[in-house]
Amino acid sequence: MSGKNPGMDMAALSALAEPNRMNIVELLRGGPLTVGEIANQLGLRQPQASKHLKVLSDNGILEAKAEANRRIYKLRPEPFQALDSWLKSFRHIMEERFDNLEDYLRELQNKEKQ
């Protein structure tokens, strides 16, 4: 994924922020589906589903494979691996902050006891 931070693409995150698109991603976790199947399962009109699928595809979240006269959509693993790496980079920082907070609270408790 591209962007300032090598691990995270803000356009992809923005694409996922729309509820219908997030529902499509959740649905595709179960495996590849056609536009019609996605539209039916989510209660969307097919043109509406196609528009959301285009945004997700343009942002590298999905890939489409043509099969006869149908397009089969599936999730691409790379954006989710990048998101996972990006989130892991925060885990260390947060753990450190919690440790500092714990030390500070212990210090306050000790002062109260004196």
Side-chain angles (χ1 to χ4, degrees):
M1 295 175 83
S2 61
K4 281 185 198 169
N5 183 327
M8 203 52 247
D9 183 333
M10 292 305 149
L13 269 183
S14 179
L16 288 171
E18 201 282 333
N20 285 306
R21 292 195 283 267
M22 184 56 97
N23 290 338
I24 289 170
V25 168
E26 286 292 326
L27 190 58
L28 289 173
R29 286 173 70 169
L33 295 169
T34 65
V35 181
E37 291 168 330
I38 292 166
N40 288 340
Q41 290 190 43
L42 295 179
L44 299 172
R45 293 188 322 279
Q46 196 157 324
Q48 192 182 13
S50 292
K51 199 184 304 182
H52 289 305
L53 289 164
K54 179 171 175 16
V55 172
L56 291 168
S57 296
D58 289 351
N59 282 285
I61 295 163
L62 303 181
E63 63 184 50
K65 185 175 77 174
E67 215 173 80
N69 62 346
R70 306 179 319 158
R71 290 173 67 76
I72 312 289
Y73 287 88
K74 71 176 197 169
L75 296 176
R76 293 182 68 244
E78 295 85 359
F80 299 98
Q81 291 163 349
L83 180 58
D84 186 50
S85 296
W86 185 67
L87 290 171
K88 281 179 182 170
S89 73
F90 286 95
R91 195 166 294 136
H92 176 71
I93 295 166
M94 296 311 292
E95 286 170 358
E96 199 174 285
R97 288 183 181 174
F98 283 127
D99 289 345
N100 290 341
L101 178 61
E102 205 174 307
D103 293 343
Y104 176 71
L105 292 174
R106 201 172 293 120
E107 200 177 295
L108 283 178
Q109 285 177 332
N110 290 337
K111 284 182 182 176
E112 284 178 8
K113 288 179 183 173
Q114 293 173 357

